[in-house]
Each structure stands twice: as C-alpha cells, then as structure tokens.
Short mmCIF file of all heavy atoms in Angstrom, two decimals:
data_model
loop_
_atom_site.label_atom_id
_atom_site.label_comp_id
_atom_site.label_asym_id
_atom_site.label_seq_id
_atom_site.Cartn_x
_atom_site.Cartn_y
_atom_site.Cartn_z
N VAL A 28 100.26 83.35 74.99
CA VAL A 28 100.00 84.68 74.65
C VAL A 28 101.23 85.53 74.81
O VAL A 28 102.03 85.36 75.74
CB VAL A 28 98.90 85.31 75.66
CG1 VAL A 28 98.63 86.76 75.38
CG2 VAL A 28 97.62 84.53 75.60
N SER A 29 101.48 86.41 73.85
CA SER A 29 102.61 87.32 73.95
C SER A 29 102.13 88.62 74.57
O SER A 29 101.08 89.17 74.17
CB SER A 29 103.17 87.63 72.53
OG SER A 29 104.18 88.61 72.57
N VAL A 30 102.88 89.10 75.54
CA VAL A 30 102.44 90.26 76.29
C VAL A 30 103.61 91.32 76.32
O VAL A 30 104.78 90.90 76.46
CB VAL A 30 102.07 89.87 77.73
CG1 VAL A 30 101.75 91.07 78.59
CG2 VAL A 30 100.85 88.95 77.68
N THR A 31 103.28 92.58 76.23
CA THR A 31 104.28 93.66 76.37
C THR A 31 104.16 94.22 77.79
O THR A 31 103.08 94.60 78.19
CB THR A 31 104.01 94.76 75.31
OG1 THR A 31 104.06 94.16 74.02
CG2 THR A 31 105.03 95.88 75.49
N VAL A 32 105.28 94.30 78.48
CA VAL A 32 105.29 94.84 79.82
C VAL A 32 105.24 96.39 79.64
O VAL A 32 106.01 96.93 78.82
CB VAL A 32 106.62 94.44 80.54
CG1 VAL A 32 106.69 95.14 81.92
CG2 VAL A 32 106.64 92.96 80.72
N GLU A 33 104.39 97.06 80.43
CA GLU A 33 104.32 98.49 80.52
C GLU A 33 104.52 98.89 81.95
O GLU A 33 103.76 98.39 82.78
CB GLU A 33 103.00 98.99 79.99
CG GLU A 33 102.86 98.86 78.50
CD GLU A 33 101.63 99.47 77.97
OE1 GLU A 33 100.92 100.23 78.73
OE2 GLU A 33 101.39 99.35 76.74
N GLY A 34 105.47 99.74 82.23
CA GLY A 34 105.67 100.22 83.57
C GLY A 34 106.95 99.57 84.20
O GLY A 34 107.65 98.80 83.57
N VAL A 35 107.20 99.91 85.49
CA VAL A 35 108.47 99.57 86.11
C VAL A 35 108.25 98.68 87.38
O VAL A 35 109.18 98.46 88.10
CB VAL A 35 109.25 100.78 86.48
CG1 VAL A 35 109.64 101.53 85.24
CG2 VAL A 35 108.46 101.71 87.48
N SER A 36 107.02 98.16 87.52
CA SER A 36 106.77 97.42 88.74
C SER A 36 107.55 96.15 88.92
O SER A 36 107.65 95.60 90.06
CB SER A 36 105.28 97.08 88.89
OG SER A 36 104.93 96.03 87.99
N MET A 37 108.08 95.56 87.86
CA MET A 37 108.88 94.35 87.94
C MET A 37 110.40 94.52 87.64
O MET A 37 111.07 93.60 87.45
CB MET A 37 108.24 93.29 87.01
CG MET A 37 106.97 92.67 87.48
SD MET A 37 107.10 91.84 89.08
CE MET A 37 108.06 90.46 88.67
N GLU A 38 110.78 95.75 87.66
CA GLU A 38 112.22 96.04 87.48
C GLU A 38 112.98 95.53 88.76
O GLU A 38 112.47 95.61 89.84
CB GLU A 38 112.53 97.49 87.28
CG GLU A 38 112.11 97.98 85.92
CD GLU A 38 112.52 99.41 85.68
OE1 GLU A 38 112.91 100.16 86.62
OE2 GLU A 38 112.38 99.83 84.54
N PRO A 39 114.15 94.98 88.62
CA PRO A 39 114.92 94.87 87.42
C PRO A 39 114.71 93.67 86.46
O PRO A 39 115.24 93.57 85.44
CB PRO A 39 116.41 94.84 87.93
CG PRO A 39 116.24 94.08 89.25
CD PRO A 39 114.86 94.51 89.81
N ALA A 40 113.89 92.70 86.93
CA ALA A 40 113.69 91.47 86.21
C ALA A 40 113.05 91.74 84.84
O ALA A 40 113.48 91.13 83.87
CB ALA A 40 112.89 90.50 86.96
N PHE A 41 112.13 92.61 84.79
CA PHE A 41 111.44 92.94 83.51
C PHE A 41 111.34 94.46 83.37
O PHE A 41 111.00 95.15 84.30
CB PHE A 41 110.04 92.37 83.45
CG PHE A 41 109.99 90.87 83.57
CD1 PHE A 41 109.88 90.21 84.75
CD2 PHE A 41 110.13 90.08 82.40
CE1 PHE A 41 109.84 88.86 84.83
CE2 PHE A 41 110.11 88.74 82.42
CZ PHE A 41 110.03 88.07 83.65
N GLN A 42 111.73 94.93 82.21
CA GLN A 42 111.80 96.37 81.93
C GLN A 42 110.57 96.77 81.12
O GLN A 42 109.90 96.00 80.46
CB GLN A 42 113.02 96.72 81.10
CG GLN A 42 114.32 96.21 81.69
CD GLN A 42 114.70 96.95 82.97
OE1 GLN A 42 114.57 98.19 83.06
NE2 GLN A 42 115.15 96.24 83.99
N ASP A 43 110.23 98.03 81.19
CA ASP A 43 109.20 98.61 80.31
C ASP A 43 109.43 98.26 78.88
O ASP A 43 110.55 98.36 78.41
CB ASP A 43 109.18 100.14 80.50
CG ASP A 43 108.00 100.80 79.85
OD1 ASP A 43 106.90 100.25 79.89
OD2 ASP A 43 108.16 101.90 79.24
N ARG A 44 108.41 97.80 78.18
CA ARG A 44 108.44 97.30 76.79
C ARG A 44 109.04 96.00 76.53
O ARG A 44 109.17 95.59 75.39
CB ARG A 44 109.13 98.44 75.90
CG ARG A 44 108.34 99.72 75.96
CD ARG A 44 108.86 100.70 74.94
NE ARG A 44 108.10 101.97 75.13
CZ ARG A 44 108.57 103.10 74.68
NH1 ARG A 44 109.70 103.23 74.17
NH2 ARG A 44 107.85 104.13 74.89
N ASP A 45 109.46 95.25 77.61
CA ASP A 45 109.90 93.87 77.38
C ASP A 45 108.72 93.05 76.86
O ASP A 45 107.59 93.31 77.17
CB ASP A 45 110.36 93.22 78.66
CG ASP A 45 111.78 93.60 79.13
OD1 ASP A 45 112.49 94.32 78.29
OD2 ASP A 45 112.14 93.24 80.19
N GLN A 46 108.95 92.06 76.01
CA GLN A 46 108.03 91.13 75.53
C GLN A 46 108.17 89.86 76.27
O GLN A 46 109.35 89.35 76.48
CB GLN A 46 108.27 90.84 73.99
CG GLN A 46 108.10 92.03 73.12
CD GLN A 46 106.61 92.28 72.85
OE1 GLN A 46 105.81 91.30 72.65
NE2 GLN A 46 106.22 93.54 72.90
N VAL A 47 107.10 89.29 76.76
CA VAL A 47 107.08 88.01 77.52
C VAL A 47 106.01 87.12 76.89
O VAL A 47 105.08 87.54 76.35
CB VAL A 47 106.86 88.21 79.01
CG1 VAL A 47 107.92 89.02 79.67
CG2 VAL A 47 105.48 88.82 79.27
N LEU A 48 106.35 85.77 77.01
CA LEU A 48 105.43 84.77 76.53
C LEU A 48 104.80 84.15 77.83
O LEU A 48 105.47 83.78 78.70
CB LEU A 48 106.22 83.71 75.75
CG LEU A 48 105.39 82.65 75.09
CD1 LEU A 48 104.47 83.30 74.02
CD2 LEU A 48 106.27 81.62 74.42
N VAL A 49 103.42 84.05 77.73
CA VAL A 49 102.68 83.60 78.86
C VAL A 49 102.05 82.22 78.51
O VAL A 49 101.37 82.17 77.46
CB VAL A 49 101.57 84.56 79.25
CG1 VAL A 49 100.72 84.05 80.42
CG2 VAL A 49 102.16 85.98 79.59
N ILE A 50 102.27 81.26 79.35
CA ILE A 50 101.61 80.00 79.20
C ILE A 50 100.35 80.08 80.03
O ILE A 50 100.35 80.13 81.25
CB ILE A 50 102.54 78.80 79.66
CG1 ILE A 50 103.85 78.84 78.94
CG2 ILE A 50 101.82 77.44 79.49
CD1 ILE A 50 104.93 77.90 79.47
N ARG A 51 99.25 80.00 79.32
CA ARG A 51 97.92 80.19 79.98
C ARG A 51 97.55 79.03 80.86
O ARG A 51 97.79 77.92 80.54
CB ARG A 51 96.86 80.39 78.93
CG ARG A 51 96.99 81.70 78.25
CD ARG A 51 95.96 81.99 77.20
NE ARG A 51 94.60 82.00 77.83
CZ ARG A 51 93.47 82.16 77.12
NH1 ARG A 51 93.51 82.27 75.84
NH2 ARG A 51 92.31 82.20 77.73
N ARG A 52 97.00 79.35 82.01
CA ARG A 52 96.40 78.48 82.97
C ARG A 52 97.31 77.40 83.48
O ARG A 52 96.90 76.36 84.01
CB ARG A 52 95.15 77.82 82.40
CG ARG A 52 94.00 78.78 82.15
CD ARG A 52 93.52 79.37 83.38
NE ARG A 52 92.54 80.42 83.07
CZ ARG A 52 92.37 81.50 83.80
NH1 ARG A 52 93.01 81.74 84.89
NH2 ARG A 52 91.45 82.39 83.44
N ARG A 53 98.57 77.58 83.47
CA ARG A 53 99.55 76.71 84.07
C ARG A 53 99.56 77.08 85.57
O ARG A 53 99.54 78.26 85.96
CB ARG A 53 100.92 76.96 83.41
CG ARG A 53 101.95 76.01 83.98
CD ARG A 53 103.20 76.24 83.15
NE ARG A 53 104.30 75.49 83.70
CZ ARG A 53 105.57 75.65 83.51
NH1 ARG A 53 105.94 76.67 82.69
NH2 ARG A 53 106.42 74.92 84.01
N ARG A 54 99.54 76.07 86.44
CA ARG A 54 99.52 76.36 87.86
C ARG A 54 100.82 76.97 88.24
O ARG A 54 101.91 76.35 88.13
CB ARG A 54 99.26 75.05 88.61
CG ARG A 54 99.28 75.31 90.11
CD ARG A 54 98.44 74.28 90.89
NE ARG A 54 98.68 74.39 92.30
CZ ARG A 54 98.04 75.24 93.11
NH1 ARG A 54 97.16 76.08 92.59
NH2 ARG A 54 98.23 75.27 94.38
N PRO A 55 100.79 78.13 88.86
CA PRO A 55 102.03 78.79 89.30
C PRO A 55 102.65 78.19 90.53
O PRO A 55 101.97 77.48 91.32
CB PRO A 55 101.63 80.22 89.54
CG PRO A 55 100.19 80.12 89.91
CD PRO A 55 99.62 78.97 89.15
N ARG A 56 103.90 78.42 90.68
CA ARG A 56 104.69 78.06 91.88
C ARG A 56 105.28 79.29 92.49
O ARG A 56 105.58 80.29 91.80
CB ARG A 56 105.78 77.02 91.54
CG ARG A 56 105.27 75.69 91.03
CD ARG A 56 106.39 74.70 90.82
NE ARG A 56 107.48 75.20 90.04
CZ ARG A 56 107.65 74.98 88.76
NH1 ARG A 56 106.81 74.25 88.08
NH2 ARG A 56 108.74 75.51 88.12
N PRO A 57 105.50 79.28 93.80
CA PRO A 57 106.22 80.43 94.38
C PRO A 57 107.50 80.73 93.73
O PRO A 57 108.23 79.84 93.30
CB PRO A 57 106.43 80.00 95.87
CG PRO A 57 105.36 78.99 96.11
CD PRO A 57 105.19 78.30 94.76
N GLY A 58 107.74 82.03 93.47
CA GLY A 58 108.96 82.51 92.76
C GLY A 58 108.71 82.70 91.32
O GLY A 58 109.47 83.40 90.63
N GLN A 59 107.67 82.09 90.72
CA GLN A 59 107.38 82.33 89.34
C GLN A 59 106.73 83.62 89.16
O GLN A 59 106.08 84.20 90.03
CB GLN A 59 106.55 81.18 88.75
CG GLN A 59 107.23 79.88 88.63
CD GLN A 59 106.34 78.83 87.97
OE1 GLN A 59 105.16 78.64 88.29
NE2 GLN A 59 106.88 78.12 87.01
N VAL A 60 106.78 84.16 87.91
CA VAL A 60 106.13 85.40 87.49
C VAL A 60 104.89 85.05 86.76
O VAL A 60 104.88 84.17 85.91
CB VAL A 60 107.04 86.28 86.73
CG1 VAL A 60 106.36 87.53 86.21
CG2 VAL A 60 108.29 86.67 87.52
N VAL A 61 103.74 85.70 87.08
CA VAL A 61 102.47 85.48 86.43
C VAL A 61 101.88 86.73 85.85
O VAL A 61 102.33 87.89 86.25
CB VAL A 61 101.44 84.85 87.45
CG1 VAL A 61 101.86 83.49 87.93
CG2 VAL A 61 101.17 85.81 88.56
N VAL A 62 100.98 86.61 84.92
CA VAL A 62 100.20 87.72 84.48
C VAL A 62 98.83 87.57 85.10
O VAL A 62 98.20 86.46 85.04
CB VAL A 62 100.10 87.71 82.91
CG1 VAL A 62 99.07 88.73 82.44
CG2 VAL A 62 101.50 88.01 82.36
N VAL A 63 98.33 88.55 85.77
CA VAL A 63 97.11 88.48 86.55
C VAL A 63 96.25 89.63 86.12
O VAL A 63 96.73 90.77 85.83
CB VAL A 63 97.40 88.55 88.08
CG1 VAL A 63 98.11 89.81 88.50
CG2 VAL A 63 96.14 88.33 88.87
N GLU A 64 94.89 89.43 86.11
CA GLU A 64 93.95 90.51 85.78
C GLU A 64 94.06 91.54 86.80
O GLU A 64 93.98 91.31 88.02
CB GLU A 64 92.58 89.96 85.58
CG GLU A 64 91.64 90.97 84.98
CD GLU A 64 90.26 90.52 84.70
OE1 GLU A 64 90.03 89.27 84.94
OE2 GLU A 64 89.42 91.28 84.23
N SER A 65 94.17 92.86 86.36
CA SER A 65 94.24 93.94 87.24
C SER A 65 92.87 94.32 87.81
O SER A 65 91.95 94.47 87.03
CB SER A 65 94.78 95.15 86.42
OG SER A 65 94.90 96.31 87.28
N PRO A 66 92.78 94.46 89.15
CA PRO A 66 91.54 94.92 89.69
C PRO A 66 91.39 96.45 89.47
O PRO A 66 92.34 97.12 89.14
CB PRO A 66 91.68 94.61 91.22
CG PRO A 66 93.14 94.64 91.43
CD PRO A 66 93.76 94.13 90.16
N PHE A 67 90.18 96.93 89.65
CA PHE A 67 89.94 98.34 89.58
C PHE A 67 90.15 98.94 90.93
O PHE A 67 89.27 99.06 91.76
CB PHE A 67 88.50 98.60 89.04
CG PHE A 67 88.32 98.27 87.65
CD1 PHE A 67 87.93 96.99 87.30
CD2 PHE A 67 88.71 99.12 86.61
CE1 PHE A 67 87.78 96.66 85.91
CE2 PHE A 67 88.61 98.81 85.23
CZ PHE A 67 88.10 97.50 84.91
N GLY A 68 91.42 99.28 91.14
CA GLY A 68 91.79 99.86 92.48
C GLY A 68 91.56 98.78 93.57
O GLY A 68 91.67 97.61 93.31
N ARG A 69 91.22 99.21 94.72
CA ARG A 69 91.05 98.33 95.85
C ARG A 69 89.63 97.69 95.90
O ARG A 69 89.32 96.90 96.74
CB ARG A 69 91.34 99.03 97.16
CG ARG A 69 92.81 99.31 97.31
CD ARG A 69 93.15 100.18 98.46
NE ARG A 69 94.55 100.49 98.57
CZ ARG A 69 95.18 101.43 97.86
NH1 ARG A 69 94.50 102.16 97.02
NH2 ARG A 69 96.42 101.64 97.99
N GLN A 70 88.74 98.09 95.00
CA GLN A 70 87.39 97.59 94.93
C GLN A 70 87.26 96.21 94.32
O GLN A 70 86.26 95.51 94.54
CB GLN A 70 86.46 98.53 94.20
CG GLN A 70 86.25 99.84 94.90
CD GLN A 70 87.42 100.82 94.72
OE1 GLN A 70 88.09 100.85 93.70
NE2 GLN A 70 87.64 101.58 95.85
N GLY A 71 88.20 95.80 93.54
CA GLY A 71 88.12 94.49 92.89
C GLY A 71 87.76 94.61 91.45
O GLY A 71 88.06 95.59 90.76
N TRP A 72 87.14 93.59 90.90
CA TRP A 72 86.87 93.50 89.44
C TRP A 72 85.41 93.79 89.18
O TRP A 72 84.56 93.46 89.93
CB TRP A 72 87.24 92.07 89.01
CG TRP A 72 88.69 91.84 89.15
CD1 TRP A 72 89.65 92.04 88.17
CD2 TRP A 72 89.45 91.36 90.32
NE1 TRP A 72 90.88 91.69 88.68
CE2 TRP A 72 90.75 91.30 89.98
CE3 TRP A 72 89.02 90.97 91.56
CZ2 TRP A 72 91.73 90.89 90.89
CZ3 TRP A 72 89.94 90.57 92.46
CH2 TRP A 72 91.27 90.55 92.12
N ARG A 73 85.18 94.37 87.97
CA ARG A 73 83.81 94.67 87.58
C ARG A 73 83.16 93.54 86.76
O ARG A 73 81.98 93.50 86.67
CB ARG A 73 83.89 95.91 86.68
CG ARG A 73 84.33 97.17 87.45
CD ARG A 73 84.37 98.33 86.50
NE ARG A 73 84.80 99.58 87.26
CZ ARG A 73 85.28 100.58 86.67
NH1 ARG A 73 85.35 100.67 85.35
NH2 ARG A 73 85.74 101.55 87.39
N GLU A 74 83.97 92.67 86.25
CA GLU A 74 83.52 91.57 85.42
C GLU A 74 83.86 90.21 86.05
O GLU A 74 84.89 90.16 86.77
CB GLU A 74 84.11 91.64 84.06
CG GLU A 74 83.72 92.91 83.27
CD GLU A 74 84.37 92.96 81.95
OE1 GLU A 74 84.06 92.14 81.07
OE2 GLU A 74 85.23 93.87 81.65
#
C-alpha cells in the first residue's frame, strides 16, 4: 500500500506529504516504522 504522511509526528525521519510504501502484515521488529490504525482518542477503536 502506498501511503501519504500527514503531520509532523515522525519528523525528522518522515516529513508531511512524504510517500511511503507499506508491506502489509509483515511482522515488525523494534526500530522499524509501522502504519497502525488510529484509535479514537484514548477510548480505542469503534470497529
């Protein structure tokens, strides 16, 4: 999946509007960057 970064939470490694390629369901290792579903605030997920 191709993803566009929005925001500055991963600066300086990734900038706003950077394009990244995500390998789905690959088991992550410490130090790697992942794309994770955003919870709705501190309450968690609705789905």
Side-chain angles (χ1 to χ4, degrees):
V28 178
S29 175
V30 174
T31 301
V32 175
E33 289 188 4
V35 298
S36 74
M37 286 300 292
E38 286 185 350
F41 298 94
Q42 307 291 317
D43 188 39
R44 298 188 183 157
D45 280 354
Q46 295 281 317
V47 297
L48 188 61
V49 178
I50 303 170
R51 290 182 62 184
R52 296 296 175 208
R53 184 173 175 200
R54 179 153 169 85
R56 294 187 309 263
Q59 288 184 314
V60 176
V61 296
V62 171
V63 62
E64 188 174 0
S65 179
F67 290 92
R69 289 172 182 83
Q70 291 78 34
W72 295 267
R73 296 179 182 163
E74 299 178 64

